[in-house]
Amino acid sequence: MARYTPEKCADIEEIIRDALQNKTPLQVTGYGTKKNLGGRVLARDELSLSAHSGITDYQPEELVMVARSGTPLIEIEETLDKNGQMLGFEPLHLDKFYGQSTPGSLGGVIACNLSGSRRISAGAARDYLLGFDAISGRAGYFRSGSKVMKNVTGYDLSKLMCGSFGMLAVMSEITLKVLPRPEFMTSLSVTCASLAEARSALSIGFGSATEPSGGAIIKSGGGFNAVLRLEGVKISVDDRIASLSALLEKTGTLRLMSAEESSEFWKMMRDISCLQKDAEQVWKLSVTPSYAPQIIAELEAKYKVDYALDWAGGLIWLGGAGAELGAAIRAVLARQDGGHATLMRAPEAIQASQPIFQPLDAALGGLQSRIKTAFDPMYILNPQKIELGGAADANAL
Amino acid sequence: MLLPEPEQNILDRRDEIVGALKSLLPKGCVIDDRTTMKAFDSDGLSAYRNLPLVVVLPETTQQVADVMKWCRDNGVKIVPRGAGTSLSGGALPLSDGVLLGLGKFNQITEIDFENRTVTAQPGVTNLAITTAVQDDGFYYAPDPSSQIACSIGGNIAENSGGVHCLKYGLTTNNVLGIEMVTMDGEIVRIGGKHLDAPGFDILGIMTGSEGLLGVVTEVTVRILRKPATQRAMLVGFDTVQEAGQAVSIVIAAGIIPAGMEMMDNPAINAAEDFVNAGYPREAAALLIVELDGPEVEVDYLLDRVATLMKGAGASSIRISQSEEERNQFWAGRKSAFPAVGRISPDYLCMDGTIPRKALPEMLTRMSAMSQKYGLRVANVFHAGDGNLHPLILFDANAEGELARAEEFGAEILRNCVALGGVLTGEHGVGVEKRDLMGEMFTEDDLKQQQRLKCAFDPDHLLNPGKVFPVLHRCAELGRLHVHHGQLPHPDIPRF
């Protein structure tokens, strides 16, 4: 059992080349904060990028930042904040959720495509990765993308790296598009009697010209609080709050949050602290927003579940218990026109007994396996972190 | 040779191939007479023309799958085509390939205001999506100049942009799901009305893959509520360098306008002669800045931008006072290409991107190149995102001018890369920039991209000859070269 902590890109290449020659797969990590997210990796040796760290280029006026993959997310966010900027996709911080001391590395956030509440209005991590360089599972160095905003030169491999969970290549440097931080932020809370009404309030908000940057629902007392976040220059936010209030007047009881309360609320969503802490299992459901109330109603009919919604209802954080819960969730999703469910946290036995990610059909599974093979033919990198399906999976060492 | 050498055995089998395709498709879906096929012999890059082996226009996804499976089984190449508006030759036919047109896929299948999505067949035009939802106050954000004609399926293939992608993103940021057919004839659905489909992001790599990975048969996109107010500002500058710097100054101040376009003096005057937009003819460069949102926000930001522009040395500033005037401001920019077409027999439209801060340097280099090649150039930029569209003016009937114009264009793109930019911002590589790929990527970079292609199309049957200057066989690409081509451990299984 070895643990490698390379500092330079060339060292990463060397480690992967050795792993390939010795047929010893690698668990690829940053600070190891998300080892419990995804499948159990079939590797004894660990390649940690924690020493491959540092912001190498930051040009606020170009909205571009380049950093090594092992750079702590906190360092990235603090540096941007000092310059009045931010990561547009508002990454999730999973440290509290997984009982870790840090939310991990930039590379981890990108590899897991961890996008927060702003996903619904501003896009995912994958929409902000302009370019990268990496070492593939073939021990080959390659680059893709650039430092410019608009680029269609060749395949957009950045998209493939986001959400690949380190299974295709190990990123060395990551180039991000960053955004100006809004001058002012506040949120409007709408208390409704039913989940369907709260969901509908979000739909009205997002269908209006008031440009919400976040839309979440949490249970509150016997009712449901739909919370819509508005950001921008103060004069504009004030104006949009007035318009939004007029639109939602009849939907429920309105309350304007203070800037501080609003900030705390969205931090809670970012940290997934919106669920009760003691849930045996936590699932992430990505669904068609308007179907969310029906999906939850069907699950509540059979299980005791706790939940909070984000992305205008398109994201359901769901806590519950029971060996059959996962199958029940996926059955409901299949009836409700698709969507997908990921098991985010559960005791080992529950994790081992079912697919962590949504299983893919045979055609898609085959394609996924062939993509894996195109980058990592010997399954050296993070084998089994995502179950791919398809015949090529049998190549796994 | 521009395209791969046609395979003689495929050309010899033409009658058999046409017969087989006719048996797979309804009457009227196969076009094999040369006169009718002429309509398909080129796309928007009309300098290149070539007749396909045969044209098929299927009507259903299953028919697309049947055609692709038959072609895969029989080693016949396919070139997919949307509306044929590609500016890089992405839909240029192959003499030994089937041209697969999606023109009959022209229906919008679902409009869902509650979830803000539209689902459409790939042949629906970009503008038709906005038209279908605008009465309800919505629109589809990416707006390529060809939006009246270009298809949404083609937009996926090319990852099309437009003047508003500075704030609202490109196609890739606005598409939620697709149904596609692989070269194997498998029908695959990715995404939908929910976000971030599981597994590797196939939707992401399909977008901008220029028809090399699969054929899109259905598209689901995000629609947005039309902003309450849109106003535009015309800003004149005495030097192009000052205008270039002004663009960076606005972004650095934390303002992301809905659009920020730039035209140089030749483009200003060509547009002014054509549509009388009220542009300052004497200005060396003109910026069109559009802001959108609630009225109070737009007023406030226009004020701030005006102050920044004055500080950057603006020689004139005009703000649109009505929707009519805003449209007039844009009319000149939107007709810049035909306007330039009036002052020159021919022009080449280039499409590189550079970091914003390199704009002044690039413009200085551009005028030096113009002198060197003895050809005029008019510049139209999506300045906010650094996307350049230099129009090189030439006369195709003058001996050697086309070749000189192409060399000029190539040098512009090499300069884009040298300044930290890229070969193409939104038009695609196609055949046009294929042979310049080595300027931006190493052989290893390109081989890794082609390995991805092998995962979808191991026999290179789908749109070969586009994007990649050299076609490596997938078996060769799959080999592991561990130490400079020497496999130190021959016991490792190879593929």
Side-chain angles (χ1 to χ4, degrees):
Chain A
M1 220 168 78
R3 186 168 186 273
Y4 307 100
T5 53
E7 286 175 30
K8 296 194 204 79
C9 181
D11 299 336
I12 302 173
E13 193 172 336
E14 195 64 41
I15 292 160
I16 296 180
R17 185 177 291 127
D18 286 348
L20 197 55
Q21 287 176 2
N22 302 327
K23 299 187 201 171
T24 47
L26 296 164
Q27 174 162 38
V28 186
T29 63
Y31 297 89
T33 56
K34 290 179 273 292
K35 279 184 182 170
N36 288 325
L37 174 57
R40 173 175 282 249
V41 172
L42 297 177
R44 283 178 303 146
D45 295 346
E46 180 177 348
L47 166 55
S48 162
L49 280 308
S50 54
H52 186 61
S53 176
I55 295 167
T56 52
D57 186 12
Y58 175 32
Q59 303 170 42
E61 73 286 0
E62 290 289 318
L63 307 178
V64 168
M65 176 183 267
V66 186
R68 295 192 187 97
S69 53
T71 312
L73 179 61
I74 295 293
E75 182 182 334
I76 303 274
E77 293 191 321
E78 283 176 357
T79 306
L80 288 169
D81 194 59
K82 272 185 212 143
N83 287 275
Q85 297 191 327
M86 64 176 191
L87 293 175
F89 58 97
E90 198 176 8
L92 292 176
H93 284 202
L94 298 181
D95 44 339
K96 290 193 184 75
F97 185 74
Y98 286 124
Q100 302 284 338
S101 55
T102 105
S105 67
L106 174 66
V109 162
I110 295 295
C112 303
N113 195 23
L114 288 179
S115 321
S117 300
R118 216 176 258 106
R119 168 71 182 98
I120 184 68
S121 57
R126 53 96 91 175
D127 295 297
Y128 290 86
L129 181 61
L130 295 175
F132 65 92
D133 63 356
I135 319 296
S136 73
R138 311 171 54 89
Y141 173 85
F142 68 102
R143 285 178 316 125
S144 179
S146 68
K147 289 184 191 177
V148 297
M149 302 288 130
K150 219 167 161 188
N151 172 21
V152 294
T153 321
Y155 297 133
D156 192 357
L157 299 184
S158 295
K159 297 289 182 294
L160 212 47
M161 296 308 290
C162 276
S164 67
F165 284 79
M167 288 180 71
L168 300 177
V170 177
M171 285 181 282
S172 170
E173 277 198 340
I174 289 171
T175 305
L176 294 170
K177 175 184 176 179
V178 299
L179 289 184
R181 190 185 59 222
E183 288 175 16
F184 182 72
M185 180 252 280
T186 189
S187 298
L188 187 67
S189 155
V190 192
T191 305
C192 302
S194 72
L195 178 59
E197 283 169 312
R199 223 304 298 171
S200 166
L202 296 185
S203 199
I204 292 168
F206 279 86
S208 77
T210 62
E211 295 176 41
S213 69
I217 299 173
I218 54 164
K219 288 204 246 187
S220 166
F224 296 85
N225 278 356
V227 181
L228 287 142
R229 176 174 58 184
L230 300 185
E231 299 174 300
V233 293
K234 176 107 177 25
I235 188 170
S236 168
V237 174
D238 289 346
D239 182 77
R240 284 181 283 142
I241 285 288
S243 309
L244 191 59
S245 302
L247 286 170
L248 294 174
E249 209 170 37
K250 295 198 179 93
T251 318
T253 313
L254 305 187
R255 192 174 65 81
L256 187 63
M257 290 181 169
S258 69
E260 195 174 55
E261 188 187 357
S262 170
S263 167
E264 285 308 310
F265 178 88
W266 295 104
K267 260 186 204 143
M268 174 184 79
M269 297 309 292
R270 180 198 71 182
D271 297 343
I272 327 181
S273 308
C274 44
L275 294 179
Q276 287 158 17
K277 286 192 174 60
D278 54 357
E280 182 199 59
Q281 306 168 32
V282 175
W283 289 82
K284 176 187 181 184
L285 281 59
S286 179
V287 305
T288 301
S290 65
Y291 299 160
Q294 179 62 28
I295 290 167
I296 289 171
E298 289 192 31
L299 290 168
E300 268 190 316
K302 286 189 196 156
Y303 297 91
K304 189 176 174 305
V305 289
D306 177 32
Y307 52 86
L309 280 60
D310 204 343
W311 300 356
L315 170 65
I316 304 171
W317 294 115
L318 189 120
E324 337 72 51
L325 178 62
I329 289 170
R330 287 183 171 137
V332 172
L333 291 186
R335 278 201 299 281
Q336 296 287 341
D337 199 29
H340 54 92
T342 307
L343 180 54
M344 294 291 292
R345 193 179 72 195
E348 211 170 313
I350 300 270
Q351 275 197 331
S353 68
Q354 59 194 319
I356 305 286
F357 298 94
Q358 186 79 15
L360 303 168
D361 66 35
L364 206 45
L367 213 40
Q368 297 277 340
S369 296
R370 294 199 296 278
I371 292 171
K372 166 78 171 165
T373 307
F375 286 81
D376 180 21
M378 301 302 289
Y379 282 62
I380 290 293
L381 304 177
N382 270 355
Q384 302 299 309
K385 184 87 173 165
I386 317 179
E387 316 92 337
L388 297 173
D393 257 11
N395 280 336
L397 290 169
Chain B
M1 184 67 204
L2 182 67
L3 291 172
E5 190 70 37
E7 289 179 61
Q8 190 57 45
N9 76 316
I10 297 289
L11 298 177
D12 292 345
R13 286 168 57 205
R14 182 168 189 266
D15 289 348
E16 173 211 328
I17 292 166
V18 169
L21 293 169
K22 281 185 173 170
S23 73
L24 289 172
L25 297 172
K27 206 167 183 297
C29 290
V30 178
I31 297 169
D32 62 334
D33 73 279
R34 288 177 186 278
T35 319
T36 318
M37 286 205 305
K38 262 251 171 253
F40 298 90
D41 72 352
S42 90
D43 56 19
L45 186 69
S46 55
Y48 301 118
R49 293 182 182 277
N50 194 34
L51 270 188
L53 185 71
V54 54
V55 176
V56 296
L57 301 170
E59 292 168 341
T60 67
T61 300
Q62 189 56 52
Q63 288 168 10
V64 173
D66 293 343
V67 167
M68 293 182 75
K69 182 166 192 328
W70 189 90
C71 286
R72 201 275 319 258
D73 290 347
N74 289 273
V76 179
K77 302 179 182 102
I78 287 181
V79 175
R81 176 186 167 106
T85 57
S86 167
L87 292 171
S88 55
L92 181 67
L94 299 172
S95 309
D96 59 345
V98 174
L99 188 77
L100 193 161
L102 279 304
K104 292 187 177 183
F105 284 73
N106 58 6
Q107 299 299 308
I108 290 180
T109 47
E110 195 197 359
I111 297 172
D112 179 346
F113 290 117
E114 211 182 352
N115 294 302
R116 293 181 299 128
T117 62
V118 168
T119 302
Q121 293 184 325
V124 169
T125 64
N126 171 292
L127 190 61
I129 295 180
T130 290
T131 307
V133 297
Q134 67 186 5
D135 286 351
D136 293 274
F138 288 85
Y139 75 112
Y140 174 59
D143 56 346
S145 319
S146 56
Q147 69 179 155
I148 191 167
C150 65
S151 69
I152 191 68
N155 288 180
I156 302 280
E158 301 293 325
N159 190 13
S160 307
V163 295
H164 290 106
C165 46
L166 175 58
K167 181 168 173 185
Y168 294 104
L170 293 97
T171 301
T172 191
N173 313 112
N174 289 276
V175 57
L176 299 172
I178 52 171
E179 176 192 74
M180 63 178 264
V181 181
T182 67
M183 196 61 220
D184 292 336
E186 303 250 35
I187 300 166
V188 179
R189 296 193 75 92
I190 303 138
K193 294 181 191 174
H194 53 269
L195 297 169
D196 303 335
F200 304 130
D201 186 359
I202 292 176
L203 177 61
I205 40 166
M206 275 298 291
T207 311
S209 63
E210 305 199 23
L212 270 73
L213 300 181
V215 174
V216 173
T217 47
E218 189 188 88
V219 180
T220 300
V221 296
R222 166 77 74 222
I223 50 170
L224 299 176
R225 170 63 73 171
K226 202 165 179 287
T229 312
Q230 294 169 289
R231 286 175 81 188
M233 177 190 265
L234 287 184
V235 194
F237 287 89
D238 292 337
T239 68
V240 286
Q241 282 73 16
E242 280 173 324
Q245 275 154 10
V247 171
S248 287
I249 289 170
V250 170
I251 303 279
I255 300 169
I256 310 240
M260 186 144 56
E261 300 286 304
M262 180 167 164
M263 296 163 79
D264 70 356
N265 186 270
I268 294 167
N269 280 289
E272 200 51 24
D273 289 342
F274 192 42
V275 295
N276 231 323
Y279 291 171
R281 281 182 180 275
E282 70 293 348
L286 176 73
L287 292 180
I288 308 174
V289 185
E290 180 156 289
L291 292 154
D292 63 10
E295 196 175 348
V296 288
E297 174 183 329
V298 172
D299 287 348
Y300 170 80
L301 288 179
L302 280 171
D303 208 48
R304 267 180 67 182
V305 171
T307 307
L308 292 169
M309 291 293 178
K310 279 177 201 149
S315 54
S316 68
I317 296 181
R318 273 180 66 199
I319 295 171
S320 68
Q321 300 301 323
S322 65
E323 186 61 8
E324 192 188 358
E325 196 176 20
R326 183 181 77 91
N327 288 329
Q328 194 195 348
F329 284 5
W330 278 111
R333 165 63 186 88
K334 287 188 173 167
S335 62
F337 291 12
V340 166
R342 284 178 9 133
I343 61 167
S344 171
D346 300 282
Y347 67 84
L348 274 186
C349 172
M350 307 310 294
D351 167 49
T353 307
I354 53 172
R356 269 181 292 268
K357 66 170 177 206
L359 271 174
E361 170 65 18
M362 187 68 195
L363 290 163
T364 305
R365 291 189 189 188
M366 198 92 78
S367 36
M369 282 184 266
S370 175
Q371 293 212 334
K372 172 178 159 189
Y373 289 97
L375 293 172
R376 290 178 299 161
V377 61
N379 280 299
V380 180
F381 302 157
H382 302 305
D385 36 34
N387 188 195
L388 318 176
H389 290 317
L391 305 173
I392 302 169
L393 314 188
F394 71 102
D395 180 356
N397 289 325
E399 179 74 27
E401 275 208 8
L402 170 62
R404 216 157 74 230
E406 287 187 320
E407 187 42 45
F408 185 175
E411 188 168 338
I412 291 175
L413 295 183
R414 278 194 286 269
N415 272 280
C416 287
V417 175
L419 288 170
V422 301
L423 296 172
T424 170
E426 57 182 357
H427 293 175
V429 177
V431 290
E432 191 206 14
K433 279 149 273 187
R434 181 191 65 192
D435 298 334
L436 289 169
M437 286 289 270
E439 298 287 334
M440 189 170 146
F441 294 112
T442 66
E443 190 60 21
D444 286 344
D445 299 338
L446 290 173
K447 279 186 172 171
Q448 190 50 52
Q449 294 198 30
Q450 288 200 47
R451 285 189 191 101
L452 178 64
K453 161 84 167 163
C454 294
F456 288 78
D457 174 25
D459 301 320
H460 287 307
L461 292 174
L462 200 49
N463 218 5
K466 316 291 171 66
V467 183
F468 298 107
V470 182
L471 278 185
H472 295 282
R473 293 180 53 208
C474 288
E476 173 207 335
L477 289 168
R479 257 175 235 140
L480 277 169
H481 297 273
V482 177
H483 272 304
H484 308 292
Q486 304 254 314
L487 269 175
H489 288 263
D491 56 320
I492 293 179
R494 293 164 221 185
F495 301 93

